[in-house]
Amino acid sequence: MTDTKLRQKLGPNASSFERHIAVGLDTAGLKIEDFDPVYMSHTEDKSKGVGFGIKQVKGDSSSYVCCFEDGLEFPTGCSSIVIDEDQSASTIAVLVLVSILSGRPIESPDCPHCEEEA
């Protein structure tokens, strides 16, 4: 988590998500570095800005999630968990923290449009 230039570009939702994850892991006595945190730009949609990503399971790249301003994205699947008035970035951070602490990673929600195409 040393890329301060990208960290400074986090929007309020991604920043809130990052802070909740960092405080939660620290409170649980875990090192955030063990979960490979990273600041990144979206590879397909540059308008999403900079996001904060973390693995939900140590050493398991498939458990990686990244929070951008509009929601939480997954490495697989075609859907995301949206951030809106009813579901804040802090709520999504709690979901990810529980997944980390329980060892049960959350996965991309089913997308009805993707299922129709399959």
Side-chain angles (χ1 to χ4, degrees), residues 22-71:
V23 169
L25 290 175
D26 186 54
T27 302
L30 299 172
K31 295 180 181 178
I32 194 169
E33 293 80 13
D34 290 344
F35 298 91
D36 300 322
V38 66
Y39 303 100
M40 64 171 58
S41 297
H42 197 279
T43 56
E44 297 171 6
D45 185 352
K46 300 296 181 194
S47 71
K48 290 184 179 273
V50 175
F52 174 75
I54 193 160
K55 290 179 183 171
Q56 299 174 79
V57 177
K58 290 181 191 179
D60 182 359
S61 296
S62 69
S63 72
Y64 199 82
V65 292
C66 189
C67 183
F68 292 95
E69 279 306 289
D70 61 349

Side-chain angles (χ1 to χ4, degrees), residues 7 10-20 50 52 67 69 89:
R7 185 175 193 272
L10 286 177
N13 288 335
S15 182
S16 173
F17 177 86
E18 177 218 22
R19 284 191 316 273
H20 282 79
V50 175
F52 174 75
C67 183
E69 279 306 289

Side-chain angles (χ1 to χ4, degrees), residues 70-91:
D70 61 349
L72 188 71
E73 299 206 5
F74 300 83
T76 59
C78 64
S79 61
S80 62
I81 298 177
V82 176
I83 294 173
D84 59 20
E85 283 183 19
D86 297 323
Q87 189 164 254
S88 67
S90 59
T91 300

